[in-house]
Amino acid sequence: MKLNVPEIIRRKRDGERLGDDELRALIGEYTADRIPDYQMAALLMAIFFCGLDTAELAVWTDAMTRSGAVMRHDRVRGPKVDKHSTGGVGDKISLCLAPAVAACGVPVPMISGRGLGHTGGTLDKLESIPGFRVDLEPAAASAQLERLGLFLIGQTEDVAPADRRLYALRDVTGTVESIPLIASSIMSKKLAEGIDALVLDVKVGEGAFMETAARARELARTIIDIGAASGVAVRALLTDMGAPIGRTVGNSLEAREAIDVLRGGGPSDTIALTIELGAEMLVLGKAAKELEAGRASVRRVLADGTALALFARVIEAQRGDPRVCDDPSRLPVAAHRDPLAARRRGYVTGIRPRAVAMAALEVGAGRRRKEDDIDPSAGVELLVARGDLVEAGAPLAALHHGGSGEGEAMRLLESAFEIGDAPPASTALVIDRL
Amino acid sequence: MKLNVPEIIRRKRDGERLGDDELRALIGEYTADRIPDYQMAALLMAIFFCGLDTAELAVWTDAMTRSGAVMRHDRVRGPKVDKHSTGGVGDKISLCLAPAVAACGVPVPMISGRGLGHTGGTLDKLESIPGFRVDLEPAAASAQLERLGLFLIGQTEDVAPADRRLYALRDVTGTVESIPLIASSIMSKKLAEGIDALVLDVKVGEGAFMETAARARELARTIIDIGAASGVAVRALLTDMGAPIGRTVGNSLEAREAIDVLRGGGPSDTIALTIELGAEMLVLGKAAKELEAGRASVRRVLADGTALALFARVIEAQRGDPRVCDDPSRLPVAAHRDPLAARRRGYVTGIRPRAVAMAALEVGAGRRRKEDDIDPSAGVELLVARGDLVEAGAPLAALHHGGSGEGEAMRLLESAFEIGDAPPASTALVIDRL
């Protein structure tokens, strides 16, 4: 199809619908380097303002998915279900959730990403486990899914190359914050996993990509619509990101915390998120009739060690050291652990996730740019939670670092804590379900 | 100044004002190839949607002007005044207007452009005069302005290079139709001429860039504001472009018609436009106290041969053959002149300018792409005007061509004529003055 790209840009700019063939050709030609970045940048900005309707977005996303390889798991029985989180601070839920759900009998083909900026990435947390490999070949991953019910891998070059190019362009052209573009980016990769259903964890709040519940709900509805058009059932939870998830931010610290949850321990919010998201996945995966039964199943596999045992087998299958499951001290440990003391007595009324994340970034736990190296052992350990009463001088947090960036990190970390005279109102972890 | 371009794009996209330094740096860095096209394309689309306010636009335009050479005419006394038309079909007004105004004592430093698509360009019309050169050096042009009160030249690479780059980018990214971007493009070049005042002819109607009077008025007001910020007085006329101007469309045909006007003849609309625009220029140039006196002066220099004599001297100074003024048959003549006959008896209720222009384009009078060659002798000669009563079989127009494209051109030309049973309502030539 011969495209008149300036004319297509004008039509989208003027609020018109684009045709299915046009949308597919735009994605195809752009991925094949036959549409220049400057035209795609203008089109993306026009989409930022004028959007894509449900039907346009379904085609646009499908074209992005088909720009690369799409996995099939023909030998894996039953519905395959994954979870996607829009990204938070301290979000290590995938590491405990995926083994728990797989242990309940629902296959989980999980492809994750790396951290960038203030949000962490599941791959980085997995790779803090010594030896763990996230670069399985598709056939090997599918075979592992059949055998263990779970793989935890990274996105290869083959998966949705259109998304990789579009995302890189959006990042430098001020077109990231567009609901249809965010939704299509997420779903193009998820649909390439060969899933039948998806649970979406849309984080809401200061530490999240979506700062308001209204925007989060709009994103969730958009993704549900894309899923419906592709035959993938999507359930979405809007969850609170007003404080970091759990007590740790940083890769090996978070892996350790996830193992705590798989051992039946861990912080209450992390356990609760695992149970809530897990129950949704079990219902979608037909392993539970309703949520309450799903919750009970997840609780059981966390309590009886089944989920931890499965995680150990997956680690071993992916060449990692499974002994971390019994002995988390085998995970990388930072050279320094500096405490942060409370300046005054009072209630912890807030722990600002973005400031905690920036402190972790400062000591090397994350990346400013894609090409940056990270320090798997660096990060922040929170020693108090929102609502706790602390005495002046009591430790609020500990900074784990290798001896660089700790000065600025400590200042950022201190700025994260809000101490007041009265305890804060309690907040709901799950804000809404769609 | 270190620019965070994605952040600037986001701020404009979200409706914020950009700072003076930011605007200047954006233009400077883009022109110096230090901002990639894809970022500028996204910014231009954000400007399409969110605009630039009066103060932002003044700085943006000034930066575009200063991206290149700005002429000074220190030795030329009195206010220097130019005219700019937003481009119409058959618009040869500059060729008769500029000599007339200069003959009345107001210096006219006129830099014009070439035709592209359905609109013609003054440079192409001038170059149909054998030998005429439009590529004068700035110093030579300024000296000619001092001596003769007029130069008629083309835009060199030195004039507003930022505009050249931005225009090329807008053309392929669907961001042409933005009032602030159109206004800054026009004014960046006009301000580089070293003018004190400008008369703007905003064409309105089917054959024009601005299809509605509301858009034309908005463009005029925006240009008036930019002028005010730069100390250049701008008067704007909105004029009707519902039919071609005069009786000819095509380069040597139009040059000949302009000479007719300078000889005291020519079609009434072309004369009227020359007088109205000329009177405004004379008032701005302090050579007339008010419009009526200005009109009288223009009429006089057209009637007594002064304007024609000056045009001949300018042609000679720019190496053209001045004998065309007395003997227009020295202009290029097409090999073929095919008449178009009326299919029915009736009143000419409309002559659609775009169809006439496309017919002329088809026989080589214009360019589809910048790099196309043109045939100076090709074009359309209208033999009737709107309102005329014609008999079946009577000639409506003649197509001048060199033997290629005439079939399609004739079909287009025929489609341009609307013949009805009743005479059309009369239309005003000057729709509004600002």
Side-chain angles (χ1 to χ4, degrees):
Chain A
M1 152 168 225
K2 180 81 190 109
L3 286 181
N4 181 341
V5 180
E7 175 64 22
I8 287 175
I9 298 169
R10 273 194 294 278
R11 283 174 40 223
K12 177 43 70 188
R13 179 200 80 181
D14 294 342
E16 290 182 36
R17 289 197 72 242
L18 300 182
D20 291 0
D21 291 350
E22 287 172 331
L23 292 162
R24 288 192 190 282
L26 283 167
I27 294 292
E29 296 293 283
Y30 179 62
T31 311
D33 248 332
R34 288 190 293 261
I35 292 176
D37 283 337
Y38 54 79
Q39 290 186 322
M40 186 52 81
L43 179 66
L44 292 172
M45 188 60 88
I47 291 173
F48 177 90
F49 282 99
C50 298
L52 292 170
D53 72 17
T54 305
E56 282 176 298
L57 192 53
V59 174
W60 174 266
T61 308
D62 186 59
M64 286 170 70
T65 302
R66 286 168 199 266
S67 73
V70 179
M71 295 186 95
R72 292 177 57 111
H73 312 292
D74 294 332
R75 300 179 58 182
V76 180
R77 268 178 293 181
K80 291 154 285 291
V81 185
D82 191 17
K83 184 234 28 168
H84 178 80
S85 160
T86 58
V89 175
D91 188 355
K92 71 281 295 173
I93 299 298
S94 289
L95 275 65
C96 28
L97 174 67
V101 171
C104 294
V106 172
V108 180
M110 186 175 274
I111 302 182
S112 305
R114 297 192 184 280
L116 186 63
H118 79 280
T119 52
T122 295
L123 290 190
D124 300 320
K125 295 166 197 181
L126 288 168
E127 285 181 340
S128 76
I129 297 169
F132 197 96
R133 297 287 295 268
V134 297
D135 55 349
L136 268 56
E137 288 295 319
S142 198
Q144 182 177 315
L145 185 67
E146 187 189 359
R147 189 161 49 87
L148 300 178
L150 173 61
F151 61 69
L152 296 165
I153 64 173
Q155 193 183 326
T156 63
E157 296 285 306
D158 295 341
V159 175
D163 175 64
R164 201 163 35 252
R165 296 199 49 169
L166 286 170
Y167 192 85
L169 184 62
R170 287 166 57 207
D171 193 38
V172 292
T173 57
T175 46
V176 168
E177 300 84 354
S178 155
I179 297 275
L181 296 179
I182 296 167
S184 55
S185 174
I186 291 171
M187 284 302 271
S188 66
K189 290 173 288 195
K190 289 289 138 183
L191 294 174
E193 290 177 338
I195 51 171
D196 300 290
L198 179 71
V199 172
L200 188 66
D201 181 9
V202 188
K203 299 293 184 194
V204 184
E206 195 232 56
F209 202 45
M210 301 282 116
E211 298 211 349
T212 67
R215 291 272 291 170
R217 213 168 271 124
E218 193 188 341
L219 176 63
R221 287 212 186 91
T222 305
I223 290 179
I224 289 168
D225 286 343
I226 295 173
S230 307
V232 169
V234 178
R235 285 276 295 171
L237 269 60
L238 271 54
T239 65
D240 179 51
M241 193 61 246
I245 298 166
R247 296 293 185 94
T248 58
V249 175
N251 297 294
S252 71
L253 292 168
E254 293 192 46
R256 184 170 188 151
E257 193 168 55
I259 291 170
D260 287 347
V261 173
L262 288 168
R263 289 160 72 102
S268 60
D269 63 341
T270 315
I271 299 169
L273 268 175
T274 306
I275 291 172
E276 289 305 318
L277 295 166
E280 296 279 0
M281 291 174 76
L282 294 188
V283 169
L284 286 171
K286 317 276 190 213
K289 287 228 163 130
E290 29 78 50
L291 287 179
E292 201 43 52
R295 289 184 188 107
S297 296
V298 177
R299 276 192 204 101
R300 194 183 55 243
V301 295
L302 295 179
D304 69 8
T306 327
L308 183 66
L310 179 63
F311 191 42
R313 291 182 66 197
V314 169
I315 293 172
E316 190 166 22
Q318 296 191 216
R319 305 213 220 151
D321 181 353
R323 292 174 297 176
V324 297
C325 290
D326 294 315
D327 180 8
S329 71
R330 288 179 176 272
L331 289 165
V333 176
H336 306 278
R337 182 182 183 277
D338 296 345
L340 171 73
R343 295 219 171 177
R344 55 164 287 196
R345 182 182 192 275
Y347 290 95
V348 179
T349 53
I351 305 174
R352 292 171 48 231
R354 206 174 271 261
V356 174
M358 296 315 286
L361 188 59
E362 204 62 46
V363 290
R367 296 178 187 82
R368 291 180 202 280
R369 283 170 305 229
K370 274 189 205 126
E371 58 276 18
D372 290 348
D373 283 329
I374 59 168
D375 175 352
S377 70
V380 172
E381 182 186 359
L382 301 170
L383 302 170
V384 294
R386 200 165 162 278
D388 286 358
L389 178 64
V390 295
E391 298 299 325
L396 296 173
L399 184 71
H400 294 241
H401 65 93
S404 95
E406 70 274 20
E408 180 59 17
M410 276 304 234
R411 277 186 289 279
L412 284 163
L413 189 54
E414 179 149 25
S415 76
F417 285 89
E418 291 161 358
I419 311 275
D421 296 323
S426 70
T427 54
L429 184 64
V430 177
I431 297 165
D432 202 357
R433 290 174 197 262
L434 288 93
Chain B
M1 152 170 225
K2 180 80 191 112
L3 286 180
N4 180 342
V5 180
E7 174 64 21
I8 288 176
I9 299 170
R10 273 193 294 276
R11 282 172 42 222
K12 178 43 71 187
R13 179 199 80 182
D14 293 343
E16 290 181 35
R17 290 196 72 242
L18 301 182
D20 292 0
D21 291 350
E22 286 172 331
L23 292 162
R24 288 192 190 282
L26 282 168
I27 294 291
E29 296 292 284
Y30 179 62
T31 311
D33 248 334
R34 287 190 293 260
I35 292 177
D37 283 337
Y38 54 80
Q39 289 184 324
M40 187 52 83
L43 180 66
L44 293 172
M45 188 58 87
I47 291 173
F48 176 90
F49 282 99
C50 298
L52 290 170
D53 72 18
T54 306
E56 283 176 298
L57 192 53
V59 174
W60 174 266
T61 308
D62 186 60
M64 285 170 71
T65 302
R66 287 169 199 264
S67 73
V70 179
M71 295 187 95
R72 292 177 57 111
H73 313 292
D74 294 334
R75 302 180 57 183
V76 180
R77 269 178 294 181
K80 291 154 287 290
V81 185
D82 191 15
K83 183 231 36 165
H84 178 80
S85 160
T86 56
V89 175
D91 188 354
K92 70 281 295 174
I93 300 298
S94 288
L95 274 66
C96 27
L97 174 67
V101 171
C104 294
V106 172
V108 180
M110 187 175 273
I111 302 183
S112 304
R114 299 193 182 278
L116 187 63
H118 79 280
T119 52
T122 293
L123 289 189
D124 300 320
K125 296 165 198 183
L126 290 167
E127 285 182 339
S128 75
I129 298 168
F132 196 96
R133 296 286 296 265
V134 299
D135 56 348
L136 270 56
E137 288 295 318
S142 197
Q144 181 176 315
L145 186 67
E146 188 189 359
R147 189 159 50 85
L148 300 178
L150 174 61
F151 60 69
L152 296 164
I153 63 172
Q155 191 183 327
T156 62
E157 297 285 306
D158 294 342
V159 175
D163 175 64
R164 202 163 34 253
R165 295 199 50 168
L166 285 171
Y167 192 86
L169 185 61
R170 287 166 57 207
D171 193 38
V172 293
T173 57
T175 46
V176 168
E177 300 85 353
S178 155
I179 297 275
L181 295 179
I182 296 166
S184 56
S185 174
I186 292 170
M187 285 302 271
S188 65
K189 288 173 289 195
K190 290 288 137 184
L191 295 174
E193 290 177 340
I195 51 171
D196 301 291
L198 179 71
V199 173
L200 188 66
D201 181 9
V202 188
K203 299 292 185 195
V204 184
E206 194 232 57
F209 201 45
M210 300 282 115
E211 300 212 348
T212 67
R215 289 272 291 172
R217 212 167 272 123
E218 191 187 342
L219 177 62
R221 288 214 185 90
T222 304
I223 289 179
I224 289 168
D225 287 344
I226 295 173
S230 308
V232 169
V234 178
R235 286 276 295 168
L237 268 60
L238 271 53
T239 65
D240 179 50
M241 193 60 246
I245 299 166
R247 296 292 185 99
T248 56
V249 175
N251 298 294
S252 72
L253 292 168
E254 294 191 46
R256 185 168 188 152
E257 192 168 56
I259 291 170
D260 287 346
V261 172
L262 288 168
R263 290 159 74 101
S268 59
D269 63 340
T270 315
I271 299 169
L273 268 175
T274 305
I275 291 171
E276 290 305 319
L277 294 166
E280 296 280 1
M281 290 174 77
L282 294 188
V283 171
L284 286 171
K286 318 276 188 214
K289 286 228 165 130
E290 31 76 51
L291 287 180
E292 201 44 50
R295 290 185 187 107
S297 299
V298 176
R299 278 193 202 99
R300 194 183 55 245
V301 297
L302 294 179
D304 69 8
T306 326
L308 184 67
L310 179 63
F311 191 40
R313 292 183 67 197
V314 168
I315 292 173
E316 190 166 23
Q318 297 191 212
R319 305 211 218 152
D321 180 354
R323 292 174 297 175
V324 297
C325 290
D326 294 316
D327 179 7
S329 70
R330 289 181 175 273
L331 290 165
V333 176
H336 307 278
R337 182 182 182 278
D338 297 343
L340 171 72
R343 296 219 171 177
R344 53 163 288 194
R345 180 180 193 275
Y347 291 96
V348 178
T349 52
I351 304 175
R352 293 171 46 229
R354 205 174 272 260
V356 175
M358 295 315 286
L361 187 61
E362 203 63 43
V363 290
R367 296 179 187 83
R368 291 179 201 282
R369 283 169 306 229
K370 273 187 207 126
E371 57 277 17
D372 290 349
D373 283 329
I374 58 167
D375 174 353
S377 69
V380 172
E381 184 187 357
L382 301 171
L383 302 170
V384 295
R386 203 165 160 278
D388 287 357
L389 178 65
V390 296
E391 298 299 324
L396 297 174
L399 184 71
H400 294 241
H401 65 93
S404 94
E406 70 274 20
E408 179 59 17
M410 276 303 234
R411 275 185 291 277
L412 284 163
L413 189 54
E414 179 151 25
S415 76
F417 285 89
E418 291 160 1
I419 313 275
D421 297 322
S426 70
T427 53
L429 184 65
V430 176
I431 297 164
D432 202 357
R433 288 174 199 263
L434 288 95

